[in-house]
Amino acid sequence: MTIKPLADRVVTKAVEVEETTKSGIILTSTAKEKPEIFEVVAVGPGGMVDGADVKMYVKVGDRVIAAKYAGNEVKIDGTEYSILRQSDILAIVE
């Protein structure tokens, strides 16, 4: 099954980043906060949104930093995705 976002929506998947404390302890996934770095899986076409023309700046494969609790989470075929507006993306990680 594929996800095709509409308008200015972007489908992302969390990037697993191993976190280590300053003292060298590796944190498990249950001890971590919600991830903020995502990989873009699909991008909507942009266009007219709320009376304004929206140009899409992100593309599939980009790694992005999103607002902490932005978007909606969905689970499809056992994989968790977040669907959010492009305006909820704070930066592209290069």
Side-chain angles (χ1 to χ4, degrees):
M1 179 183 300
T2 60
I3 304 172
K4 185 176 180 182
L6 303 175
D8 66 335
R9 301 281 200 262
V10 178
V11 179
T12 60
K13 183 170 69 169
V15 174
E16 292 296 322
V17 179
E18 187 178 272
E19 274 190 47
T20 307
T21 63
K22 289 181 182 179
S23 60
I25 298 171
I26 297 175
L27 298 176
T28 64
S29 60
T30 56
K32 295 183 207 175
E33 292 185 6
K34 182 179 177 200
E36 297 173 2
I37 298 179
F38 300 90
E39 180 179 350
V40 176
V41 177
V43 178
M48 293 298 286
V49 177
D50 297 329
D53 189 33
V54 175
K55 179 181 177 194
M56 301 304 285
Y57 293 100
V58 295
K59 61 186 180 305
V60 174
D62 281 350
R63 284 184 163 211
V64 297
I65 298 174
K68 195 161 207 128
Y69 295 102
N72 296 323
E73 294 180 1
V74 295
K75 190 172 189 176
I76 298 177
D77 296 334
T79 305
E80 290 190 21
Y81 299 98
S82 292
I83 302 174
L84 51 125
R85 288 184 177 265
Q86 179 176 251
S87 60
D88 291 330
I89 295 174
L90 305 174
I92 297 174
V93 179
E94 295 181 340

